[in-house]
Amino acid sequence: MKDLDVNKYIENIYHIERWGQGHFKVNQKGNLSTQDLDIYQVVKEIVEHNIELPVVVRFHDILRSQVITLNETFNKIINEAGYKGIYRGVYPIKVNQMREVVEEILDAGAPYHFGLEAGSKAELLSVLSLNHDKESLTVLNGYKDREFLKLALLGRKLGKKTVVVIEQYSELLNLIELAREMDVRPLIGIRARLSVVGSGKWSNSGGDTAKFGLTIPEILNALHYLRKNDYLDCLNLIHFHVGSQITNIQTIKDVVSEGTRIYTELKKLGAPIEYLDVGGGLGVDYDGSQSTHDSSRNYNLENYISDIVYGVKQLCDLEGVEHPNIVTESGRFITAPHSCLITEVVDKIDYRENEYKNAVNLNDEHILVKNIKELWRDISEEDRQESFNDALAIKKDGDNAFKLGVISIEEKAVIETNFWKICDWLKNKIGSMDFIPEEFENFSDKLSSQYLCNFSVFQSLPDHWAIGQLIPIVPISRLLELPTEQCSIVDITCDSDGKIDQFINGGEISRTLRLHDLKKDEPYYIGFFLTGAYQDVMGDMHNLFGRVNEVHVFSDDEDANGFFIETVVKGNSNRQVLSAMQYNPDLMAYSLKKEMDQKVTEKKIPSREGVKLINFYEKCLEGYTYLKNN
Ligand SMILES: *Cc1c(COP(=O)(O)O)cnc(C)c1O
């Protein structure tokens, strides 16, 4: 195949250019790269440093570039539109609270006075200590007790722009009471409950029955209350958020219209609101299909921003109301592309290869055994589909016959061996085609391999497990070579849900992913991409697989490889995950040692060996929770 064809073929399988959004491409060596930084080289260096896989790799340059692009595009469109307000975005830290991530976003956003958003006390404690810019906003959403509100007012005392967004009416009463006590003027935002409902998996943050926000009567009561108590001048933001990953641009248009109407009406009633906060929802095109599929979106950044800026402007002009400053709370867009999970395929699970060869000559061979043997003997290309259907039928009959005591375990073994031979033959035929022919699609599990990868879906890709979110998965090398294996991916947890059998496929979902065959002495690394939003913090310790190792990578023109690894954040040890579950690892080792001493005393185990084994146990306590490479 010519180079050009290979590139096309690879793009057709992995769609790198489409979901990569310019951040990722295949370089001349056939390795995946980001901004001229060879990801395969990065992983080689990680492995050379004895950092064990799986590992989260963070590309700080991508993080910075997302922040800059968001701000610059807003500024550009605000200019073009002749819009009178400014853009003042905030980053909602719940999307990824890693300190290094938040600090990098603040640093890249400093020229734009980019701020932060928090939704809980722990997050508020964090943003209060991180956001030192007196111009930028600190927006506080979520349910708030008096302690939360007091912390927010502490921020006001320090001169920070901490805006308390009222989610339920009682918060307003508490806030005003505390503000009086502390003698400080609060900045107040109100979250409006819109009637618009978002689309996609995260749509239930909007609509009349949403969990959050004030209804229109409540908003008017709030206005009245503030005026009566002399705090109306503190009302300076109106907020709405209808859910993350908005897939359809129409939802954004609707949200902006309804939200802006509330703003203009409140302004006319005398509320001195300066900021219109349209929340999050800016989507990420995980499958690269630019569609309204749940894992995609039918718009780009420019469309999104234009719809906001022009939408707000038009309504305000129509009603003769001042243009507000615009706030967005985009988390997913900023963080999703900056990190990926990289791990090794450790094995191919192939029950087919374990053929039962020792069958004694079965006299009086059962008809099912006879039939499947003939089927295998006479298999041919022309009637491959018929042969496969017959084989499936015999396999099923065989399963039943065995249950009913009609065939022996040995006969069942012969049937299965022949069945998998037929599947394997077919799999090899299909391996050289571009895709699994439609008639075999439903049986792709029988015609594909399972690649066992050293990671846990529950820890590293919770959204895939919980809500079927798709993410791009790509081998990070050998991308000038045609992959021949149709695969599904299984993780190392003991849970049958610990697998991936849904893959991006240009707006559709594919049950298998094409990967390369495994070579004996060459590790095969694959990457799970666009995982920087939500996945890092939502992961759980199912099976006690803990947090994974993490490296932070920066590009560097001076360096021979064009990059350097700045930080290594160690993942959990077995000791740590056990302690989190209330175990005392020292006591555990001690109790095992006592049992061992007993055996040694009884002379059942030589003392030297006993000591070695206990040392081994203790060493494992300190080790990584994932599989060790040999
Ligand atoms: C989660 C959340 C966001 C972030 O939304 P993204 O779609 O990730 O940008 C913004 N605002 C609020 C109030 C949220 O709850």
Side-chain angles (χ1 to χ4, degrees), residues 46-112:
I46 288 170
V47 173
E48 277 160 21
H49 280 65
N50 291 322
I51 300 163
E52 291 172 270
L53 301 178
V55 63
V56 164
V57 183
R58 298 194 189 287
F59 299 106
H60 281 244
D61 300 278
I62 296 184
L63 205 49
R64 299 187 72 86
S65 103
Q66 290 299 92
V67 174
I68 292 166
T69 305
L70 178 67
N71 280 284
E72 289 291 336
T73 312
F74 252 109
N75 290 346
K76 186 186 95 185
I77 291 174
I78 278 177
N79 258 327
E80 283 169 6
Y83 189 85
K84 304 275 171 21
I86 55 169
Y87 173 65
R88 272 295 140 83
V90 293
Y91 166 65
I93 71 165
K94 78 156 187 274
V95 181
N96 195 321
Q97 297 103 334
M98 276 297 288
R99 182 175 50 80
E100 289 89 341
V101 170
V102 181
E103 284 177 346
E104 196 72 53
I105 290 171
L106 274 182
D107 189 62
Y112 313 99

Side-chain angles (χ1 to χ4, degrees), residues 178-308:
L178 280 165
R180 278 210 185 99
E181 271 173 33
M182 294 171 69
D183 190 24
V184 65
R185 300 303 282 179
L187 286 174
I188 305 173
I190 286 181
R191 178 162 180 173
R193 188 180 290 248
L194 301 189
S195 64
V196 179
V197 181
S199 51
K201 303 252 189 210
W202 293 270
S203 60
N204 44 10
S205 309
D208 289 332
T209 56
K211 205 167 121 184
F212 295 111
L214 302 193
T215 61
I216 296 291
E218 282 176 320
I219 294 175
L220 291 184
N221 287 341
L223 198 72
H224 200 71
Y225 180 83
L226 288 171
R227 178 172 282 138
K228 206 174 75 192
N229 286 279
D230 251 348
Y231 277 90
L232 189 58
D233 60 303
C234 298
L235 178 57
N236 81 332
L237 179 144
I238 188 95
H239 172 245
F240 40 87
H241 169 76
V242 295
S244 199
Q245 185 68 11
I246 294 175
T247 57
N248 195 338
I249 188 88
Q250 190 56 46
T251 307
I252 292 158
K253 292 178 198 280
D254 294 345
V255 162
V256 166
S257 313
E258 191 177 345
T260 308
R261 281 287 296 137
I262 296 175
Y263 162 78
T264 56
E265 290 288 310
L266 292 180
K267 280 291 266 197
K268 285 192 253 175
L269 290 174
I273 301 169
E274 281 181 274
Y275 296 96
L276 183 73
D277 179 349
V278 304
L282 173 52
V284 167
D285 194 1
Y286 291 95
D287 73 1
S289 68
Q290 291 197 18
S291 68
T292 56
H293 185 281
D294 283 342
S295 299
S296 185
R297 47 159 177 65
N298 69 351
Y299 56 91
N300 61 23
L301 182 65
E302 298 231 347
N303 304 147
Y304 172 80
I305 295 175
S306 293
D307 276 0
I308 294 171

